Amino acid sequence: MPSTRLVINHEDRDVDVSPDTPLLWVLRDSLALTGTKYGCGAGFCGACTVHIDGVPIRSCSTPVSRVAGKQITTIEGLSKDSSHPLQRAWVEEQVPQCGYCQSGQIMTAAALLSKNPHPSDADIDAAMAGNICRCVTYQRIRRAIHRAAGATSHAS
């Protein structure tokens, strides 16, 4: 099996996996980056969201061959110490209940804020529509995104 070079959280990593292996399993099983979660396995729930060159994708349905050489950012790469404005806002707004979907929610929200630093409620709802929260904390998620947008604007 040929080795595949990945750039994960700004580090080059070589993995010996089949090219059709889903990125999620490479992250979790081969590289022990377990912040990205398995939810549905079909790309519908958003729990497995990571960024590829800044764009949110579903890692459960993305073969590793499609992301070789591209910049992959996982929840672990968003901030080494959980100091990203979204991570802080998530805690301040007490968003998580079970917490299972939260890394995917935060990664989707981070992609939104990178493109739209001051989103409206409608912008947030549209961007987050593909992420399912079984605990139904959508109002807190929206508040946390607004809070992070405010913290980001004050930091710049």
Side-chain angles (χ1 to χ4, degrees):
M1 200 171 327
S3 182
T4 301
R5 165 97 12 133
L6 301 174
V7 183
I8 301 175
N9 302 328
H10 304 289
E11 292 181 22
D12 290 340
R13 306 289 294 267
D14 291 312
V15 293
D16 295 320
V17 296
S18 173
D20 62 348
T21 304
L23 176 60
L24 174 65
W25 301 122
V26 173
L27 295 171
R28 292 183 60 79
D29 295 345
S30 300
L31 300 173
L33 294 170
T34 58
T36 304
K37 303 300 183 199
Y38 173 81
C40 66
F44 297 127
C45 74
C48 67
T49 301
V50 299
H51 295 175
I52 304 298
D53 293 336
V55 177
I57 61 99
R58 305 301 197 239
S59 63
C60 72
S61 58
T62 302
V64 71
S65 60
R66 193 177 312 153
V67 298
K70 297 182 181 182
Q71 183 59 240
I72 302 164
T73 306
T74 68
I75 190 73
E76 291 92 347
L78 200 57
S79 165
K80 296 268 186 223
D81 60 359
S82 299
S83 64
H84 188 280
L86 276 166
Q87 291 168 311
R88 288 194 324 265
W90 240 248
V91 171
E92 292 161 357
E93 292 295 336
Q94 299 179 1
V95 172
Q97 283 186 20
C98 81
Y100 201 79
C101 69
Q102 298 309 305
S103 61
Q105 299 276 2
I106 290 170
M107 294 304 288
T108 300
L112 166 64
L113 291 180
S114 74
K115 294 199 179 340
N116 182 353
H118 302 288
S120 67
D121 283 351
D123 295 332
I124 292 169
D125 292 347
M128 303 302 292
N131 290 74
I132 297 170
C133 175
R134 293 179 288 192
C135 299
V136 196
T137 64
Y138 299 112
Q139 296 301 319
R140 285 184 270 174
I141 289 169
R142 187 188 297 145
R143 283 196 311 267
I145 294 170
H146 281 302
R147 181 186 286 257
T152 303
S153 66
H154 296 329
S156 32

